[in-house]
Amino acid sequence: MKTARLSHFLRKLLLLSVSLLPILPTVELMQLAPAEAKQKAKPRATQPSAPRQNVDAYTLGPGDRIRVDVLNVPEYSGEYIVLVDGTVNLPIIGAVPIAGANLTQASNIISAKYAPLVKRPFITVGLLIPRPVQVAIAGEVSRAGSYTIPLTETRKFPTLSQAIQLAGGVSQTSDLRRVRITRNGRVGYFNLLAVLRNADISQDITLRDGDSVFVPTATNVNADDIARTTGSNLGSQESAIKIAIVGEVGKPGTYNMKAEGASTTAASGTTSGRLSPPTLTEAMRLAGGATASADITAIRVKRLTKTGTYQVISINLLKLLDNGDKNQDLVLQDGDTIYLPQDPVIGSYGSRRAVTSSFGPQVLNPVKVAVVGQVNRPGTYNMKAEANSSTSGGQTVNVNLSPPTITQAIQAAGGIRPTADVRQVVLQRFGRDGRGQVVKINLWSLLTTGDLTQDLVLQEGDRILIPEAAAINPREVDVLANAPFAPATIKVSVVGELRSNKNTYDLAPNTTLNQAILLAGGFDPVRANKNTVDLIRLQPNGTVEKRTIGVDFAQGLNETNNPVLRNNDVIVVGRSGTTRVGDGLGSVLNPLAPLLTILNIFR
């Protein structure tokens, strides 16, 4: 009698548990990340660990192959498939709905069905072959949509990261700190960036059939997070992208860029490759490089997110050049727009560093500049890059191209005139946005202190103005005559009693008076005054100076007897005393020459 009552009580308890199944949460859902209601109560709660990968966590659905064992009733036992309507067709009792139940709940449901037919039914349900997992993935992924993921032979369920990889990886605008998963109406948030940073595998939750994954858009862009994401297996694997680059680059416009392959070889001899996505500096080189007036500390990248909004990422490439911060070399994605602003200070430290970098001006094409003012040949000039090579063992190992500078442009214009004011050279420049800039250059500082910042790199359209000096310091004239921006040659006239009939000579800037006389063939041995010559010099203020200089070819460089010549100097070699007397007597006798001829006839 007691046994009958206990059996009746257990049967009622089973029926009650079956009736309550629709409102009982599964074990998996109870272990999912906190729901929104919990987050409201504790908005700063830490991320929970991932659910346990146990059998009870699995909920049955159409396509599952299960094993039903009824103790001591082998004819009711066997393998069955959960049908599309969520039922399993069992002997005697027919269709039993078990979709949405875990294995323990399914055992209880089937036991309740067999209870009227089998005395003390003891039933176990096991999973033989799970059905494929179907999940929906949206947000900042390359290919959003619904995905069916077949399970492996080991029946391991796909993880969150595997599903994201299946969707082509996340975009660079994604926020991996709050990846949202929705399961049977419950919501959880997981931090995949913790997997990349700290190898926290608990955040890489295993997915279940029917899960929805949403990767949100980041509100605050972090270059370090972008670099970490793109360098992982969660990054997007786009093989070709289209970008636009404008501002201070050589050739603004749109460009198609392809990812480069990077392969590794294992010890077994097999190779695996991964595409290396294009970066900011690669795009700059493709667009002709940054101009000499680009501000590389304030580059902006405008990026379209999957939600239709835009992100603006600030990049400072000076950190890359000075500190090796590779995160500043942003990995690009399709649709990016890059803007290089104009540096407010021409010749700033940042622009000078950029000019000599790999993403600086691409100097293969000449730039046209204008040089006006106190130069010998004012006008416009096409300035080409100069090749600098290094040798090793007698062989050229490296050739670099140096962009043209101000001093090179002045040299191309024939060098400065003696009246030039090299302390007040003016450089006028127009940026890509049409804004003009003016900067003063002190070339005297370049000569005296070696201040290379004064010799700015030129870019297309630059205008160099060399003003006239209000006063000339005679002590500075010789320094300027030997400056790198002085004329390559000077014109000197050597006239008078010389062996050569040529009067004008192109000489080196540091040629002395004695050298000029010798280059002119030397003194006429009969007619020349070999002791003194006259040096006539046009002064910068327009006056003419005449000096009589004693000639001594044994003298070295000497301002008194053997001075350095300047442009447009005139050396006059006079006649000797005998020659002057002879020439004077000849001038007296020349009118009497016809009369003397007649007297010779009568003689």
Side-chain angles (χ1 to χ4, degrees):
M1 185 67 178
K2 290 182 179 180
T3 302
R5 287 180 180 178
L6 179 61
S7 177
H8 180 71
F9 173 75
L10 291 175
R11 186 177 294 115
K12 283 189 175 183
L13 182 62
L14 283 173
L15 291 175
L16 179 62
S17 65
V18 171
S19 64
L20 293 177
L21 276 176
I23 62 173
L24 291 177
T26 63
V27 175
E28 180 73 2
L29 294 183
M30 292 298 291
Q31 292 174 331
L32 196 60
E36 293 180 355
K38 291 185 179 181
Q39 288 186 345
K40 290 180 180 178
K42 296 181 180 180
R44 301 186 65 180
T46 57
Q47 294 291 347
S49 61
R52 292 176 299 174
Q53 298 184 27
N54 54 35
V55 177
D56 286 340
Y58 187 76
T59 56
L60 296 170
D64 286 330
R65 180 179 289 275
I66 61 175
R67 171 76 186 183
V68 178
D69 287 304
V70 182
L71 185 64
N72 297 326
V73 190
E75 58 270 23
Y76 291 171
S77 303
E79 297 180 3
Y80 304 95
I81 295 178
V82 181
L83 303 178
V84 293
D85 60 355
T87 64
V88 59
N89 195 11
L90 299 175
I92 305 298
I93 59 177
V96 179
I98 59 173
N102 59 39
L103 297 180
T104 300
Q105 292 169 337
S107 299
N108 294 335
I109 294 173
I110 296 173
S111 294
K113 292 291 185 179
Y114 274 118
L117 305 174
V118 178
K119 185 178 180 181
R120 298 179 185 177
F122 184 78
I123 297 172
T124 59
V125 178
L127 180 64
L128 297 178
I129 301 177
R131 67 189 182 277
V133 174
Q134 186 172 16
V135 296
I137 306 176
E140 294 292 339
V141 291
S142 295
R143 299 184 299 272
S146 178
Y147 290 88
T148 300
I149 308 174
L151 301 185
T152 62
E153 294 180 357
T154 57
R155 298 188 296 177
K156 289 185 178 180
F157 294 95
T159 63
L160 174 58
S161 61
Q162 290 171 340
I164 289 176
Q165 291 173 25
L166 191 63
V170 296
S171 69
Q172 296 176 42
T173 56
S174 62
D175 183 3
L176 290 182
R177 288 182 171 86
R178 288 183 60 79
V179 179
R180 187 179 74 216
I181 296 179
T182 304
R183 179 177 298 171
N184 295 336
R186 293 180 61 85
V187 177
Y189 295 87
F190 295 86
N191 184 358
L192 282 182
L193 201 61
V195 179
L196 303 181
R197 285 182 176 273
N198 309 318
D200 184 2
I201 198 171
S202 67
Q203 299 299 312
D204 195 13
I205 180 178
T206 55
L207 299 180
R208 294 293 180 263
D209 187 48
D211 282 354
S212 295
V213 179
F214 181 77
V215 182
T217 302
T219 55
N220 296 319
V221 181
N222 185 295
D224 180 64
D225 290 348
I226 293 176
R228 194 178 297 273
T229 301
T230 54
S232 70
N233 60 358
L234 296 179
S236 176
Q237 289 295 294
E238 295 175 312
S239 60
I241 64 173
K242 187 173 185 179
I243 59 99
I245 183 167
V246 295
E248 293 297 330
V249 289
K251 297 176 292 184
T254 58
Y255 292 90
N256 294 316
M257 302 185 69
K258 293 183 178 180
E260 296 180 355
S263 60
T264 57
T265 304
S268 60
T270 58
T271 58
S272 60
R274 175 175 171 81
L275 293 178
S276 177
T279 64
L280 172 61
T281 57
E282 291 173 0
M284 291 170 62
R285 285 194 292 269
L286 189 63
T291 67
S293 59
D295 185 359
I296 64 169
T297 66
I299 299 173
R300 297 194 299 274
V301 178
K302 188 177 180 181
R303 176 167 289 173
L304 180 65
T305 68
K306 297 295 183 179
T307 58
T309 60
Y310 281 95
Q311 286 181 341
V312 177
I313 307 170
S314 297
I315 299 295
N316 184 353
L317 286 181
L318 189 59
K319 292 182 179 179
L320 172 65
L321 299 179
D322 284 351
N323 307 321
D325 185 358
K326 293 183 179 180
N327 291 341
Q328 299 300 319
D329 193 10
L330 184 70
V331 173
L332 301 178
Q333 73 177 32
D334 190 49
D336 280 352
T337 298
I338 306 163
Y339 175 66
L340 271 73
Q342 185 180 26
D343 198 317
V345 180
I346 295 180
S348 68
Y349 172 73
S351 64
R352 295 198 309 274
R353 292 282 282 136
V355 162
T356 57
S357 70
S358 62
F359 51 83
Q362 306 300 298
V363 291
L364 300 178
N365 298 322
V367 296
K368 178 176 283 189
V369 300
V371 186
V372 296
Q374 296 300 306
V375 289
N376 289 309
R377 294 189 301 273
T380 58
Y381 292 89
N382 290 321
M383 301 299 299
K384 296 182 179 180
E386 292 187 351
N388 299 316
S389 61
S390 58
T391 58
S392 177
Q395 295 183 346
T396 301
V397 295
N398 190 21
V399 177
N400 296 318
L401 292 176
S402 298
T405 63
I406 287 180
T407 56
Q408 292 170 354
I410 294 175
Q411 283 180 325
I416 58 171
R417 293 177 180 173
T419 55
D421 183 358
V422 296
R423 289 181 172 84
Q424 300 293 328
V425 178
V426 175
L427 173 65
Q428 296 176 334
R429 174 174 291 173
F430 285 93
R432 295 290 183 181
D433 57 1
R435 290 187 300 146
Q437 290 179 296
V438 176
V439 62
K440 287 187 177 181
I441 306 297
N442 186 350
L443 293 181
W444 182 255
S445 178
L446 171 64
L447 292 177
T448 56
T449 65
D451 184 5
L452 294 176
T453 63
Q454 302 299 319
D455 195 14
L456 294 180
V457 171
L458 299 175
Q459 70 179 41
E460 182 73 20
D462 280 353
R463 183 174 183 266
I464 304 167
L465 173 63
I466 315 295
E468 184 177 3
I472 299 297
N473 186 342
R475 291 177 299 178
E476 297 179 357
V477 173
D478 289 338
V479 177
L480 293 175
N482 294 299
F485 46 83
T489 61
I490 59 175
K491 287 189 177 295
V492 175
S493 297
V494 186
V495 297
E497 304 301 333
L498 298 159
R499 290 178 183 273
S500 174
N501 294 325
K502 184 179 179 181
N503 295 326
T504 304
Y505 297 88
D506 290 327
L507 305 177
N510 57 352
T511 302
T512 64
L513 181 140
N514 288 347
Q515 290 173 328
I517 294 174
L518 294 175
L519 289 172
F523 294 132
D524 185 293
V526 177
R527 299 179 54 83
N529 177 6
K530 302 180 181 65
N531 297 320
T532 61
V533 296
D534 290 331
L535 177 61
I536 301 174
R537 175 169 290 170
L538 179 65
Q539 297 293 347
N541 59 7
T543 62
V544 176
E545 176 192 29
K546 181 180 177 182
R547 294 169 56 192
T548 299
I549 298 176
V551 178
D552 183 0
F553 288 114
Q555 290 283 339
L557 178 62
N558 185 304
E559 183 61 27
T560 302
N561 299 106
N562 188 24
V564 173
L565 299 177
R566 301 177 189 171
N567 196 40
N568 296 321
D569 277 355
V570 178
I571 302 172
V572 180
V573 179
R575 293 173 294 176
S576 64
T578 303
T579 302
R580 286 198 300 271
V581 171
D583 288 347
L585 182 60
S587 62
V588 172
L589 295 177
N590 278 342
L592 300 177
L595 178 61
L596 293 175
T597 301
I598 296 173
L599 291 175
N600 285 334
I601 294 174
F602 287 103
R603 182 183 302 174

